[in-house]
């Protein structure tokens, strides 16, 4: 194998300055020419435990774009895992490539070897562009992977757990706003009837709630109408629905300058990631008296569920864990009220306080040499 040539023309464009600002502990550039692997693993913070976060495969136009994405996403995982009360830090990985044509066994096994070399400081999982079959290959090279198939002791599809967790967040929001958790008494505008949205809608309807739905997938909408008794509305009309709660279950950025004047709901609570287009939109919601349940606290069910694979997956424990989302949201709303800050900032503060408190009694996680992940069978 060639050991490479010296190239004096290449600069590491302010990477240390960047990661000093973002607060990252470690950024690993992974390369294997034969497997076509170009990946970046970013470990943001391991004060609470090993950094857990998904692997994303995306045809980034530039390497800079990939670096930006992995730094942003890994930092987000630190906050999400901290608020979720997990003994896990934040990390994320990206593979530069097109998931529709660049996947191979060698690619994922090469990636798995890099994950393994970190000795448990980073634990990977599925994210955009990755499925359970890709994870099977990663799992052949390392045990530091979650979201593997159930036959290996994995936890399976996280969507029903994320939906159940979202319901817990909703109940906390109703309690804070109305002093009751009577889900069935209120009406909901649900955007997206996919994996999580579909399950969430079922939970709402079980309690007799009035539910308006929309989705680009017409069949999914029709199923909600025929089988669950929901009312269908047009894709763009969802923002104008006169409902008590707006639940984004599809894309990010749907609460933005254009929609904020249209959304009538006084509560925004749903599982979609990155719902607020900007922080300023979060400030404006607060000014208008709209209670925003921060997305990463509401949708933590998925990461909670896979985190249980580390000690041996148990469904009962998973359901119990989902219910803690109710208390996490309650705490966020209280911080927001007592400190006079928008809820999205209150969530960040809750995460920072926990990391600071635990940081005083612990050192960064240095890997565990394979002593965790009990109860799972590795192999083919
Ligand atoms: P999914 O792809 O199964 O569902 C998304 C649905 O949104 C699809 O049915 C799609 O047709 C629909 N959609 C796309 N664009 C739309 C639009 N413009 N208007 C209306 N509908 C539109 O995905 P999912 O797993 O259900 O995830 C939904 C959201 O929740 C995503 O933002 C995801 O990042 C987030 N999330 C999911 C999990 C999980 O456990 N699956 C965990 C945490 C966060």
């Amino acid at each position: 194998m060639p050991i490479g040539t010296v190239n004096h023309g290449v600069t590491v464009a302010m990477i240390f300055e960047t990661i000093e600002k973002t607060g990252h502990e470690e950024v690993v550039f992974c390369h294997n020419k034969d497997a076509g692997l170009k990946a970046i693993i970013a470990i943001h913070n391991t004060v609470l435990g090993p950094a857990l976060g998904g692997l994303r495969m995306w045809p980034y136009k530039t390497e800079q774009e990939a670096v930006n994405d992995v730094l942003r996403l890994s930092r987000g995982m630190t906050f999400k895992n901290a608020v979720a009360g997990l003994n896990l830090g934040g990390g994320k990985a990206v593979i530069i490539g097109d998931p529709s044509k660049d996947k191979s066994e060698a690619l994922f096994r090469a990636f798995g070897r890099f994950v393994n070399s970190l000795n448990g400081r980073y634990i990977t999982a599925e994210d955009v562009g990755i499925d359970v079959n890709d994870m099977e290959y990663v799992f052949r090279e390392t045990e530091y992977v979650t979201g593997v198939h159930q036959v290996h002791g994995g936890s399976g599809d996280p969507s029903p757990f994320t939906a159940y967790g979202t319901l817990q967040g909703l109940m906390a929001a109703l309690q804070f706003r109305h002093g009751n958790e009577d889900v069935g008494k209120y009406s909901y505008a649900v955007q997206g009837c996919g994996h999580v949205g579909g399950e969430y809608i079922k939970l709402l309807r079980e309690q007799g709630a009035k539910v308006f739905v929309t989705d680009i997938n017409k069949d999914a909408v029709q199923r909600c109408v025929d089988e669950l008794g929901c009312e269908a509305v047009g894709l763009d009309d969802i923002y104008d629905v006169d409902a008590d709660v707006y639940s984004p279950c599809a894309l990010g950025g749907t609460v933005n300058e254009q929609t904020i004047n249209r959304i009538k709901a006084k509560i925004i609570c749903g599982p979609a990631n990155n719902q607020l287009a900007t922080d300023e939109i979060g400030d404006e919601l607060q000014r208008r008296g709209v209670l925003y349940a921060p997305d990463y606290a509401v949708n933590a069910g998925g990461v909670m569920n896979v985190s249980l694979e580390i000690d041996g997956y148990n469904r009962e424990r998973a359901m119990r864990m989902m219910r803690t989302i109710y208390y996490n949201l309650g705490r966020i709303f209280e911080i927001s009220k007592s400190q006079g800050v928008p809820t999205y900032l209150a969530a960040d503060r809750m995460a920072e306080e926990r990391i600071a408190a635990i940081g005083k009694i612990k050192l960064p996680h240095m890997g565990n040499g394979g002593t965790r992940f009990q109860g799972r069978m590795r192999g083919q």
Side-chain angles (χ1 to χ4, degrees):
M1 187 187 247
I3 55 169
T5 55
V6 176
N7 185 344
H8 297 288
V10 175
T11 54
V12 195
M14 300 196 298
I15 189 77
F16 280 109
E17 198 181 316
T18 304
I19 65 173
E20 191 181 322
K21 277 194 200 128
T22 53
H24 281 77
E25 289 176 13
E26 185 174 357
V27 182
V28 185
F29 289 81
C30 316
H31 175 240
N32 186 308
K33 192 172 175 223
D34 297 319
L37 178 75
K38 281 184 190 169
I40 312 167
I41 300 172
I43 296 177
H44 180 252
N45 186 297
T46 59
V47 168
L48 297 178
L52 175 82
L55 164 66
R56 178 169 291 196
M57 185 168 182
W58 194 253
Y60 295 102
K61 287 193 189 73
T62 64
E63 289 166 12
Q64 186 63 53
E65 212 183 278
V67 171
N68 292 347
D69 211 27
V70 79
L71 293 181
R72 177 181 68 86
L73 294 166
S74 52
R75 186 171 178 278
M77 287 309 296
T78 295
F79 285 85
K80 183 170 186 157
N81 292 342
V83 164
L86 299 172
N87 294 324
L88 291 167
K92 201 92 183 182
V94 296
I95 291 180
I96 302 173
D98 185 339
S100 67
K101 50 178 204 262
D102 297 333
K103 286 187 177 183
S104 70
E105 176 181 353
L107 181 84
F108 289 110
R109 291 185 69 160
F111 174 73
R113 293 181 74 83
F114 280 104
V115 172
N116 205 48
S117 73
L118 294 168
N119 197 30
R121 261 173 63 71
Y122 168 67
I123 301 169
T124 196
E126 280 170 45
D127 194 61
V128 176
I130 299 295
D131 62 36
V132 71
N133 300 314
D134 308 325
M135 280 298 150
E136 296 272 313
Y137 291 134
V138 177
F139 189 45
R140 287 191 197 172
E141 300 295 336
T142 182
E143 62 181 329
Y144 301 115
V145 44
T146 57
V148 293
H149 199 278
Q150 277 156 308
V151 296
H152 300 297
S155 55
D157 179 9
S159 308
F161 295 93
T162 304
Y164 185 68
T166 302
L167 185 76
Q168 305 309 307
L170 170 68
M171 282 159 57
L174 293 176
Q175 180 60 252
F176 188 78
R177 170 49 44 95
H178 300 297
N180 70 72
E181 294 159 21
D182 194 349
V183 170
K185 219 167 97 179
Y186 301 97
S187 56
Y188 302 83
V190 181
Q191 183 178 43
C193 315
H195 287 99
V196 187
E199 295 291 331
Y200 173 67
I201 290 163
K202 257 188 234 163
L203 295 171
L204 296 177
R205 289 292 299 141
E206 273 167 18
Q207 303 208 33
K210 170 86 189 154
V211 182
F212 300 90
V213 294
T214 194
D215 196 296
I216 48 174
N217 179 341
K218 292 201 173 70
D219 294 340
V221 171
Q222 204 52 48
R223 268 198 303 279
C224 289
V225 172
D226 294 344
E227 295 168 21
L228 299 172
C230 298
E231 188 170 321
V233 299
L235 277 181
D236 191 53
D237 301 332
I238 196 75
Y239 302 111
D240 303 314
V241 170
D242 195 3
D244 299 304
V245 179
Y246 166 55
S247 292
C249 303
L251 311 169
T254 60
V255 188
N256 54 43
E257 270 183 24
Q258 283 74 47
T259 59
I260 194 167
N261 291 323
R262 296 171 60 190
I263 296 170
K264 297 191 177 56
K266 286 293 179 201
I267 293 176
I268 297 179
C269 177
N273 275 315
N274 304 320
Q275 292 167 27
L276 304 181
T278 59
D279 288 352
E280 288 69 34
I281 291 289
D283 301 338
E284 185 55 28
L285 289 175
Q286 183 84 354
R287 267 194 293 278
R288 293 179 182 204
V290 177
L291 183 63
Y292 167 64
D295 44 19
Y296 70 74
V298 169
N299 69 21
V303 72
M304 285 179 170
N305 198 48
V306 294
S307 77
L308 288 174
E309 288 185 26
I310 296 170
D311 294 323
Y313 186 68
N314 176 308
R315 195 174 187 281
E316 287 306 307
R317 221 177 129 203
M319 293 309 275
R320 234 181 57 226
M321 212 178 203
M322 298 309 130
R323 287 191 279 275
T324 62
I325 291 176
Y326 175 91
Y327 299 101
N328 297 340
L329 265 296
R331 172 97 185 98
I332 289 167
F333 297 144
E334 283 308 328
I335 293 173
S336 162
K337 191 173 163 187
S338 63
Q339 300 185 12
V341 293
T343 51
Y344 78 89
L345 263 185
D348 287 1
R349 287 199 180 162
M350 182 171 155
E352 284 158 358
E353 278 169 22
R354 181 163 178 248
I355 293 166
I358 304 300
K360 291 195 178 122
I361 59 163
K362 278 174 81 173
L363 290 169
H365 187 81
M366 299 313 289
N368 55 41
T371 55
R372 310 290 294 275
F373 288 91
Q374 305 300 315
R376 282 201 334 202
M377 298 171 294
R378 296 188 63 217
Q380 316 308 308

